[in-house]
Amino acid sequence: MQLHDRRTECLNYSASFHALIEGLSQSEQLQKMPFPPMGKDVPLFMRDYPEQYKVSPWPLIADPQFIEKMDALCRELPIALHKVLRFYAEQDPAYLAEYLGVSRVEVDLFASRLTQPEDLVLRYDAVQVAGQWRLIEVNSGASLGGWQHSWIYPEVLSLLDAWPQFRQFNIRFRNIVVELLLAYCHAARRLKGPQTAGNLLLFVPSSIPAEFYQNLCEEFSALLEKIRPETMPSARLYYFQSVEQISFDPDGRLFFAGVEMDAIIMNTDSLDNLPKSFFNLLESMAQKAQFYYPDSLCYALLGNKLLFALVHEAQTASVLVPYQQELVRQCIPWTVRLGCPEVVFAGRRYDTGAFIRSHQQQLVFKKAYSMQGKHVVVGASTPAGDWCRLYQQLAAEPGWLIQQYVQPDPIPLAEPQHGFDFYRVIWGIFALQGRYAGCFLRATPDISGDTIINSARGATEFFLFEEQPQKHVIRF
């Protein structure tokens, strides 16, 4: 079926998106338009982002009904996953540690802390299959990518406003940075109580140029000042680049420059630039519950991809109520541990080695803790000999899983290099404070046959905007 014949499918997302695609289909000039030059309103530290990554100026636009489906997913799934973890951590911690390939200490830490789903910082990577959500993985912690769009989305709005056929769109962007800052504030307050000031300590890698560092601090601080909660009128951001600037008291309270901090926010770069001894100390102090640390081991288990296998185990069904069981069946693809000697697939039992050979085109190998498309092997894109050799190698390594491959629904989009076509899209859906908190998209042309879709591997990023019922609705 040709692209022209399927443009009406855009109505599944919104009337505005359908109108956008109709307009783009009639102009090759628009289809290959590059991302606009960064204006003066874009923070200095973000102005080279479209040079580092491929970014399309043409968004996908979703209506309130579509957004509600994402919100329902973000409300219900963390509760179900947290419930399963809590059950096994309390009833059979040794089994849970062995299953997830983590230490018993990590499981005991999770069991000892009364963590709540609202305290989790999660991003689900998902695809649409026949209009239904299918989650391919979950990631947790402060290192999640996708928030960068929050600083450059005004350029997309300006571009749409420049064209009469798109100017009438009544859309908004859900600011992920705002949602993250609010989530950190509220999580700290739930942990420490109503007296919490809201002092957030953010690590900034020393590799960032001095002028970018200054601008980043100014922009983040100004944003928090605009949106800080009424219950935390003095909430403030602090920044550090060296562990020598941080201290703890015997009760586990965290101090920076003599001021008590209520949360500490790290990122991936910090793991490469700070000593492991610091993270060991940080983790031990976090267990005293005097500050919020979203990368603590008591939260990290929710980012273990083997959890998708655990929820499919037969004995797990009794932990969940019927609607949660159905949620798992509908949204989480069939997943098992790679090291299992036997698997049950579509009601039939197989020797695992024979199964991965006979079903190679339907399967993916993944590592439990990994991001940016690393440690992912797709059967459909791998020579049979390499696939079997990899299975033999990985079966001896802990922390790997087998998952059923899901093919995304193709969506018509446009980006400068390839132009107007169908694209395979991965949706990065943020779940913060137990609800939907924004999304960004990564996509490759459907014709390319790419099966690992990630910005770090050359995929194009697309913005997600939300259709609004009234004109000029503004949300920070």
Side-chain angles (χ1 to χ4, degrees), residues 152-383:
I152 60 178
Y153 76 90
E155 300 303 306
V156 177
L157 289 176
S158 296
L159 176 64
L160 292 172
D161 261 351
W163 296 91
Q165 63 267 49
F166 306 141
R167 192 175 298 150
Q168 80 279 8
F169 292 164
N170 178 24
I171 58 178
R172 70 164 181 175
F173 180 81
R174 194 176 298 242
N175 193 311
I176 298 168
V177 173
V178 168
E179 299 285 357
L180 283 166
L181 292 176
L182 291 175
Y184 297 148
C185 285
H186 290 304
R189 191 170 189 268
R190 281 191 294 271
L191 181 69
K192 299 186 63 177
Q195 79 287 352
T196 306
N199 294 327
L200 311 180
L201 182 60
L202 176 66
F203 173 74
V204 182
S206 57
S207 58
I208 291 182
E211 64 272 21
F212 284 9
Y213 171 77
Q214 182 65 30
N215 177 252
L216 182 151
C217 296
E218 291 172 353
E219 294 289 343
F220 272 82
S221 293
L223 182 59
L224 179 60
E225 188 173 345
K226 288 180 182 177
I227 56 94
R228 55 192 173 196
E230 292 182 4
T231 54
M232 296 180 177
S234 61
R236 179 181 171 186
L237 270 164
Y238 295 78
Y239 309 87
F240 81 103
Q241 293 184 296
S242 170
V243 298
E244 283 73 23
Q245 299 170 283
I246 293 176
S247 62
F248 301 92
D249 73 5
D251 295 326
R253 294 189 298 168
L254 169 64
F255 291 88
F256 172 77
V259 179
E260 183 179 356
M261 297 292 109
D262 301 307
I264 182 167
I265 314 303
M266 309 299 291
N267 56 50
T268 302
D269 286 338
S270 65
L271 301 177
D272 299 327
N273 291 282
L274 297 179
K276 185 177 180 179
S277 59
F278 169 73
F279 288 96
N280 292 338
L281 176 62
L282 184 61
E283 183 63 50
S284 65
M285 291 298 175
Q287 301 312 311
K288 299 186 179 184
Q290 296 299 312
F291 59 90
Y292 174 63
Y293 175 37
D295 290 295
S296 172
L297 294 177
C298 65
Y299 305 119
L301 289 183
L302 268 294
N304 188 315
K305 296 173 182 60
L306 283 168
L307 185 55
F308 279 10
L310 182 62
V311 296
H312 277 296
E313 293 287 352
Q315 66 268 29
T316 301
S318 63
V319 180
L320 302 172
V321 297
Y323 83 88
Q324 292 173 326
Q325 296 172 15
E326 184 62 22
L327 181 67
V328 168
R329 282 193 293 269
Q330 287 184 353
C331 297
I332 300 179
W334 176 89
T335 310
V336 296
R337 292 184 291 174
L338 191 145
C340 291
E342 293 184 327
V343 299
V344 177
F345 181 76
R348 181 179 172 186
R349 188 173 298 275
Y350 297 85
D351 169 81
T352 305
F355 173 74
I356 66 102
R357 290 191 295 272
S358 62
H359 290 71
Q360 176 182 344
Q361 300 300 310
Q362 303 176 48
L363 303 175
V364 182
F365 296 155
K366 289 183 180 179
K367 199 169 187 178
Y369 284 116
S370 186
M371 298 177 70
Q372 295 187 331
K374 300 174 183 177
H375 306 107
V376 176
V377 185
V378 179
S381 306
T382 307

